[in-house]
Amino acid sequence: MENRCFYNSDGDFLIVPQKGKLLIYTEFGKMLVQPNEICVIQRGMWFSIDVFEETRGYILEVYGVHFELPDLGPIGANGLANPRDFLIPVAWYEDRQVPGGYTVINKYQGKLFAAKQLVSPFNVVAWHGNYTPYKYNLENFMVINSVAFDHADPSIFTVLTAKSVRPGVAIADFVIFPPRWGVADKTFRPPYYHRNCMSEFMGLIRGHYEAKQGGFLPGGGSLHSAMTPHGPDADCFEKASKAKLAPERIADGTMAFMFESSLNLAVTKWGLKTSNCLDENYYKCWEPLKSHFTPNSRKPAEFN
Amino acid sequence: MENRCFYNSDGDFLIVPQKGKLLIYTEFGKMLVQPNEICVIQRGMWFSIDVFEETRGYILEVYGVHFELPDLGPIGANGLANPRDFLIPVAWYEDRQVPGGYTVINKYQGKLFAAKQLVSPFNVVAWHGNYTPYKYNLENFMVINSVAFDHADPSIFTVLTAKSVRPGVAIADFVIFPPRWGVADKTFRPPYYHRNCMSEFMGLIRGHYEAKQGGFLPGGGSLHSAMTPHGPDADCFEKASKAKLAPERIADGTMAFMFESSLNLAVTKWGLKTSNCLDENYYKCWEPLKSHFTPNSRKPAEFN
Amino acid sequence: MENRCFYNSDGDFLIVPQKGKLLIYTEFGKMLVQPNEICVIQRGMWFSIDVFEETRGYILEVYGVHFELPDLGPIGANGLANPRDFLIPVAWYEDRQVPGGYTVINKYQGKLFAAKQLVSPFNVVAWHGNYTPYKYNLENFMVINSVAFDHADPSIFTVLTAKSVRPGVAIADFVIFPPRWGVADKTFRPPYYHRNCMSEFMGLIRGHYEAKQGGFLPGGGSLHSAMTPHGPDADCFEKASKAKLAPERIADGTMAFMFESSLNLAVTKWGLKTSNCLDENYYKCWEPLKSHFTPNSRKPAEFN
Amino acid sequence: MENRCFYNSDGDFLIVPQKGKLLIYTEFGKMLVQPNEICVIQRGMWFSIDVFEETRGYILEVYGVHFELPDLGPIGANGLANPRDFLIPVAWYEDRQVPGGYTVINKYQGKLFAAKQLVSPFNVVAWHGNYTPYKYNLENFMVINSVAFDHADPSIFTVLTAKSVRPGVAIADFVIFPPRWGVADKTFRPPYYHRNCMSEFMGLIRGHYEAKQGGFLPGGGSLHSAMTPHGPDADCFEKASKAKLAPERIADGTMAFMFESSLNLAVTKWGLKTSNCLDENYYKCWEPLKSHFTPNSRKPAEFN
Amino acid sequence: MENRCFYNSDGDFLIVPQKGKLLIYTEFGKMLVQPNEICVIQRGMWFSIDVFEETRGYILEVYGVHFELPDLGPIGANGLANPRDFLIPVAWYEDRQVPGGYTVINKYQGKLFAAKQLVSPFNVVAWHGNYTPYKYNLENFMVINSVAFDHADPSIFTVLTAKSVRPGVAIADFVIFPPRWGVADKTFRPPYYHRNCMSEFMGLIRGHYEAKQGGFLPGGGSLHSAMTPHGPDADCFEKASKAKLAPERIADGTMAFMFESSLNLAVTKWGLKTSNCLDENYYKCWEPLKSHFTPNSRKPAEFN
Amino acid sequence: MENRCFYNSDGDFLIVPQKGKLLIYTEFGKMLVQPNEICVIQRGMWFSIDVFEETRGYILEVYGVHFELPDLGPIGANGLANPRDFLIPVAWYEDRQVPGGYTVINKYQGKLFAAKQLVSPFNVVAWHGNYTPYKYNLENFMVINSVAFDHADPSIFTVLTAKSVRPGVAIADFVIFPPRWGVADKTFRPPYYHRNCMSEFMGLIRGHYEAKQGGFLPGGGSLHSAMTPHGPDADCFEKASKAKLAPERIADGTMAFMFESSLNLAVTKWGLKTSNCLDENYYKCWEPLKSHFTPNSRKPAEFN
């Protein structure tokens, strides 16, 4: 079998495996990344990935910027993702000739280029510095939220952010909805109805997403573009509106996440057509809502 | 008649009506905006506009940034546009079924999309926050300028600015030339001849623009692109050069304005051709100038 | 009875009434401030206070800076204290001669000066701007905290902050410990043992402070200076260490607060001696702790 | 006669001569500075001054910061003081032995120290850089102000500022009130009644200060401390309130100035007593005001 | 012969002549620029260039930003390029009619436009300000580098930088490798093997580039795109690895330089094909390296 | 013997041992620090020090700020002190009763306080975070300097800096003059004559300081206050002025350093009198200089 490794000259990859383990070889060492963990492989790093079964997941690529922890402000030193829970590889190398050669594939300006070499590229004996790939187990996220009343913005679940140069505006945020206690009194607890100045791409690693329990499966995705209103489905709305509020566990066994960006996301032809995966009835989840909102031209038609 | 409302996912609108009143319905309430007033409707806000007669004006759209008051520095707390003169709507709503449905039109990435709903979108009973549309009467602008000698930069007339992240460089400035006293001694008082690191789009709401009295009518526009020199017409130059300087009223009954941008503005095919409005003799206003500047290839020819 | 009003040329007052109502007359109007509310009266504002019974409380004065809401970062727009819950006075004035004159007392560089005038100083008919006194009801504080595991820094309870020019370092923070749900699993829930780079002055408006239930009464105060370790008393430690963790209400009926400063606080002679209020046995609350920490020279002795 | 030169290790001097010329020798060359000019001699520069007649003026010393032009913002490139009007010395030196020696006096931490040397300290043959003394003729100040209505803050007259590290807060501003046109309609044109978050020390170089024509002479000074209200005298108020507003020249033949500081200024014993110059009746200028403001304890008495 | 002048509405030119002198006429005056000097002509400036022989060189154009000296930090006031070595023109003008007219060519949004005028555009009699073209002799660069051990980053040779708004990320840097002493002990002295987060375009003004002595001639260029590894050729590696380290002169008679950019550089069709200058064997310089790195598909093939 | 440990509530200590080893016990573990190493123990950390022989050195204390590496700018990632050469302790603890008790001494607001406890304070079993004491071997400093001509500012030798909030102004810099190559051509290589906007306290760890070879011994110190000129002694000047410039080793076997501060340093009575160490003839080192500079009143006399 052919030996291949890869590096990306364009940007950084945030990888969210949803099914199957990834054994990632990098110049810095090896990482085993499993569902409910994420990893980041930055621009310029050579890596290859072994898989052992059917594997799938989500990848977010950002350009010209690296992911970092959000500024915590009053949250203080112990909240959200803790630096010490980000694991980096231990140096590892192999010194071997590769029969047939190693194919090095480079993503450069959105295109792929290939070159060959005879030795393994994983020949870095030791390294120092802090520009390294890393992984993070989402179970380590220290969740904070309302403990009296009212509903916090989902930004409170931010794991990593790739900042633009405009303060408060992110190229991309990686946000999760982990298992936690819900205790807010006098409050509609599910995500509220809103429109967002950012694009929201949601994915589900496991379990059932609270705001759309039936129609959103692990491995699926939804995209709500900037400024178009959305919120929980009618069923969720009904239940949460009538719920008697007491402390309760939320999202046990579930891990949903969001790629949120101040930029607009284009959907590929593959996503819209080839994959045959588009949910044409998505909008119907809101139809039973009492607000009579009936967007009956579900296929956005160009106007005028 | 069909019911329509609109929202813009791309950016913010600065609307400068020049003729006819606008009755603007928004989710935040209603605003009546007349010539010599301006209004701003931001990204994501649903609105529709009623007009009562022939109506026209100017719109400036900015992306990824909102308009704000300029930093005043030594001008201090009382100069230029005052925050308290910006008026925002009072909450208003209607709770009604719309026979035939309400068509909601969305501008997204420069294209228009439509959806239908049965109830009025103007169903917001109350709101709080400061992300609201607003209007401003240009008569409230507190004008400052030279009161001894020399000529200030037109930035001194800035009403609103949409800042880029590079300090001192605006995505767009909205600048006006209001009625005022001219008292600068030993000074050529009209706009000086210059080239600009920004694009200048000028418009005229009413009256006569001082630097080009004959050839620039209310509702018209002129565009001087970055770094190409320009200035008053020959007639203005002659008069102002010989004028005996005493305190005099400038621009009474007139309101000219400028959309100024650090970016280059493209002119649509409609503007260049379809409208049949292009002034092919514009350059001739400078021909009588003593400087012998004779740009006789008025239609810019591609070179080389 | 004499008529007096007061203004402070040195700094801003944050007033925390603990017992009795304050009817505060200011140039901007009147405010009734009761225990569990706070108010801020800034530098230069003329005011006088009427009380109706025995009254006491706490005052924090800051120089060269004003209080503001903390930067919320990932907490988002709805967390902690909300701008709309800060109430400002409605304009009010009186136009009257004062027999015997009004005595205007000015605090200037830590000294008091007096002048007299014949008319009421509360003669401001109308005003505009945002430099106004304000009050805030602590019950409106939207409390967030851990909803899974681990213990957040008390900065998560920050109501107002007076920032120094060094990012992250406050001249003073005003922090409260309001009624809330405690749900953190696998966690020692009371304040942890720590040393702080800031000075902590704690006060109690009502109820029982969770980390020292017996020895800290409403109207009392404790001061832990920078970098000296401290934490819950032995009793609290014992109970919390053995508690079976389930959702529980914390601090119902209680409101403790903290004035926290990056500066060192000096205690007046009145506080140390005259008041006869010093708790000489304070250190004993830690003696039963298993850590054998026995600071037996409780009156700090100057060394060497 | 003894030869002396001086350098200041503590801060920068802003010198405002009010009477008599100053011939200033510096290591960088010579400057002749006359009334209506100012000069700045920075920390560490060796200089001596020759005078030719009775000489007096004002000096402002700032620590840890240098004077600079204010950020002009919308005022643009041509307003207020222009960089090219600040004149710096041409290199000049003398190579001579000094019989009896040159006494070099150093101001260090507020004390004076002396050392002797045999040669002239003005022995710098050439230099480069931009850390030089400079002078500025106040007649070159490009004055801007209201040209329609309303009253600008006096900061609009800022010549130089010594910034603190808190944006918008100056260690010291140097502000002038130069001859200019007054054209603001519907406006009380003299300085309005106000209290200030800064200390105001006013001086008069020549002419008559508009807000207190009789009682404030060239060479005099007034100090209004932070947050204590003040304004024009009763006579000025009466006249300006009734004046028919038309364009008029203001302050012709006059040059008043202000040293304004966010810090409090202490008055020396010399100023309060020894000089015998204190105006004990200063407060009476406001007594005739209709507002009945009667501060009859003019000598501030310590209260309580 | 036709008279032409040029101005660029898009950006600034950094011109690096490699062969032949340039006599540059600008509105600000004339500059003679020879190889080993560089000059910068900014956006909007009118200029024309006379040459006297075969002439060639390199041009770097940047948009929306100007070149400036790098922040020196601990390097202090005397290192790298000194402000006083940047020379600007003395005002010069001509007042003449041009038979046939002067053709003014404008580069605007990447296209060229032409207009005609009858008089010379070089008619500026005097000017002031600091927006001027300038030249710099590379011999004046004050070189710093390791004087004990280890190898500094080539950024230590930065002459000018055009900063992006992201701190530490340059739109473009202009870097030179001037004659200097090499004294680093225990160090591989030539450029180390590396991959770069920026694009590196190297050129050679004269002499022999140390890291590739045979294959890189004056007037040539090499481009190493972001994140693709590169370094000295095998010959250089061999020699430097075995060299006995003593103080030695490096690059005497040589001047190589680098245009470095955080953006990717596209190569024109002219560069890749028409010029017939592409070095198809470039990659072979690394083949003899012991690392067996053999990129044998030298023409990047699109992969997949 | 008594057991003591210490913590400083006021600031951070930078310790420069000059003679004798220090075995430092801290809550984070143990550090052995020897001459030519430095260590930093921050505010609030408990430590005690064992010595084995006669010991002496220098301590610099800074308030309200921590030491950090300087911003390297064009120097790049490999210059000056490298982060990886700063060593931190490995966790270590002891669990023992202390007969007679452990005396904990606290420095608070410049005074010392003591308390007793029965167990060892070094009872921290494990820790995480980055607020730790550290040590650094000065031999690891990667020295850069001029490798062509001219003389760099001594800031180029900065190891650590404690920044004020004013950019470019340090509370304190720690600067060293390590062994290195001197190769600058056409340059006076020793420190140049200068006056400084900072205070310079120099010390010598070992060897001979190049600018004052005879009169400055290991363990000694010199203080040059802000803005008073100074430089090499006459002997150094003579030699360096006539030296034939070739590559040469500088400071082999020597390590001088500087504590540099934007603040003024006061000398204690112990330093000026009690120690009997003041060099009353220090100024004479400059007397033979040809510049005839003769500061013959060596004991600064208060003037006037």
Side-chain angles (χ1 to χ4, degrees), chain A residues 237-293:
Chain A
F237 176 75
E238 285 303 316
K239 280 184 196 154
S241 298
K242 294 169 184 161
K244 208 177 144 182
L245 299 181
E248 64 173 335
R249 292 294 302 173
I250 295 175
D252 272 333
T254 291
M255 187 61 80
F257 71 91
M258 192 156 59
F259 295 155
E260 207 180 6
S261 175
S262 63
L263 303 172
N264 281 297
L265 302 178
V267 185
T268 58
K269 188 181 164 192
W270 184 90
L272 286 172
K273 305 275 183 193
T274 322
S275 67
N276 221 16
C277 283
L278 192 68
D279 176 1
E280 305 249 340
N281 295 314
Y282 183 73
Y283 72 95
K284 291 186 180 162
C285 71
W286 293 303
E287 279 193 328
L289 279 173
K290 290 292 178 303
S291 68
H292 311 285
F293 178 82

Side-chain angles (χ1 to χ4, degrees), chain B residues 131-193:
Chain B
Y131 189 63
T132 68
Y134 53 83
K135 73 170 196 173
Y136 175 74
N137 188 331
L138 301 178
E139 285 183 8
N140 289 320
F141 190 77
M142 192 276 206
V143 198
I144 59 172
N145 215 311
S146 171
V147 293
F149 50 77
D150 274 1
H151 197 300
D153 196 271
S155 58
I156 208 166
F157 298 121
T158 303
V159 180
L160 289 169
T161 185
K163 295 179 181 174
S164 83
V165 289
R166 197 175 284 273
V169 178
I171 297 297
D173 285 332
F174 175 63
V175 173
I176 61 174
F177 301 91
R180 62 197 181 274
W181 285 100
V183 293
D185 294 320
K186 304 174 194 162
T187 304
F188 178 76
R189 289 187 181 168
Y192 40 65
Y193 294 88

